[in-house]
Amino acid sequence: MATLSLQNPLLATYVIAATLMILKVVSMSWLTVVRMMQVKGGFRSPEDLRKTPFNPVPNPKQLEPNDYVDRIRRIQLNDLENVPFFLVAAFLYVLTEPSLLLARLLLYGYVVSRLLHFAAYFTAQTHETRATLWTVGSLIIIFMAARTLVAALGY
């Protein structure tokens, strides 16, 4: 079976996990916009205070920090600091042809850890809760990267 084919269950597992993570990260931008429109604030740039159909009554206070909006920005920043490494490490790991069961546990485990991290951050759980969930995902990435390196070195 060709490695780079969706007929390959390893690659299909990667594609599902990667697609879910990409959609999750992109959805944060949309959620940021929704929240900005709800509070009519949390804007970042001075030109955002121009009168438009979406902002008919601009107010300088709209440029002030707004935690309701910024919480989503922080979640997205955390995603942008982590998910790209997963996308690369997981793809390279799939090329090592690991067992399907282990690959599914790792890839879907990462997705679940990031979704739980989102839920914890979104609901303002403690740093320890978020850090625990982040650690799970980080350890998965480290394992896949290390296993890929070992395979590439021929061990």
Side-chain angles (χ1 to χ4, degrees):
M1 192 175 326
T3 301
L4 293 179
S5 162
L6 289 178
Q7 300 308 309
N8 178 340
L10 282 171
L11 185 65
T13 298
Y14 169 77
V15 168
I16 292 167
T19 301
L20 289 171
M21 287 293 83
I22 291 166
L23 290 171
K24 190 257 183 242
V25 172
V26 170
S27 70
M28 293 297 94
S29 296
W30 287 95
L31 187 52
T32 301
V33 170
V34 166
R35 285 189 164 204
M36 288 169 54
M37 300 311 292
Q38 286 175 339
V39 299
K40 296 180 179 31
F43 302 152
R44 286 192 159 169
S45 302
E47 61 271 17
D48 296 342
L49 294 183
R50 293 181 187 151
K51 185 176 180 177
T52 67
F54 290 110
N55 193 13
V57 186
N59 183 325
K61 291 185 177 194
Q62 292 174 314
L63 289 178
E64 293 176 1
N66 181 295
D67 190 60
Y68 185 68
V69 175
D70 287 342
R71 176 166 298 280
I72 302 305
R73 286 188 176 122
R74 290 191 301 271
I75 294 169
Q76 184 175 36
L77 180 58
N78 189 277
D79 282 346
L80 293 172
E81 293 168 346
N82 291 277
V83 173
F85 294 108
F86 165 74
L87 297 174
V88 174
F91 180 74
L92 296 175
Y93 178 68
V94 165
L95 295 178
T96 71
E97 298 184 355
S99 78
L100 182 57
L101 176 61
L102 181 58
R104 285 181 173 165
L105 286 172
L106 293 170
L107 276 63
Y108 295 150
Y110 183 84
V111 170
V112 169
S113 75
R114 292 306 300 175
L115 293 175
L116 291 174
H117 181 272
F118 164 77
Y121 217 138
F122 190 79
T123 60
Q125 300 303 308
T126 65
H127 177 263
E128 288 78 11
T129 301
R130 294 191 327 266
T132 299
L133 296 166
W134 173 87
T135 299
V136 170
S138 182
L139 290 173
I140 289 171
I141 291 172
I142 291 167
F143 175 84
M144 290 188 303
R147 181 62 194 102
T148 301
L149 181 59
V150 168
L153 292 172
Y155 295 108

